């Protein structure tokens, strides 16, 4: 999981250098919304009950939101 986070950090860092802070925030929000939507619509957990699936999807969505909102715009 750490490799995924580091790749995402590098992509977002590079993205932040183009377009300014408003553009950066718009991109982050769009990525977050797409990821959360994908988790809720595409993630299928075989062999689990509905409660477990909802719990996993909720926690995965919270992780994505926490990760993406941890990025800040760097003016440098």
């Amino acid at each position: 999981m750490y490799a995924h986070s580091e790749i995402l950090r590098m992509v977002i860092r590079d993205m932040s250098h183009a377009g300014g802070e408003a553009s950066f925030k718009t991109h982050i929000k769009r990525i977050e919304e797409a990821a959360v939507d994908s988790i809720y619509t595409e993630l299928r957990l075989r062999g689990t009950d509905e409660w477990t699936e909802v719990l996993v999807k909720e926690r995965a969505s919270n992780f994505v939101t926490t990760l993406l909102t941890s990025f800040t715009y760097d003016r440098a």
Side-chain angles (χ1 to χ4, degrees), residues 6-76:
E6 188 57 31
I7 290 167
L8 185 56
R9 284 184 198 287
M10 290 174 10
V11 168
I12 289 175
R13 185 193 64 227
D14 292 346
M15 181 184 70
S16 71
H17 295 293
E21 187 171 5
S23 177
F24 173 77
K25 288 181 178 182
T26 298
H27 285 303
I28 294 293
K29 189 65 177 168
R30 195 177 79 232
I31 292 168
E32 177 192 355
E33 289 171 351
V36 169
D37 183 57
S38 178
I39 289 168
Y40 276 100
T41 60
E42 303 298 326
L43 182 62
R44 303 284 185 257
L45 304 172
R46 295 182 184 151
T48 61
D49 58 25
E50 183 179 347
W51 182 86
T52 301
E53 187 168 317
V54 168
L55 181 64
V56 169
K57 288 180 179 184
E58 182 179 313
R59 290 200 176 163
S61 296
N62 288 341
F63 171 78
V64 166
T65 298
T66 300
L67 176 65
L68 290 172
T69 57
S70 73
F71 297 116
T72 58
Y73 180 74
D74 183 8
R75 297 182 196 281

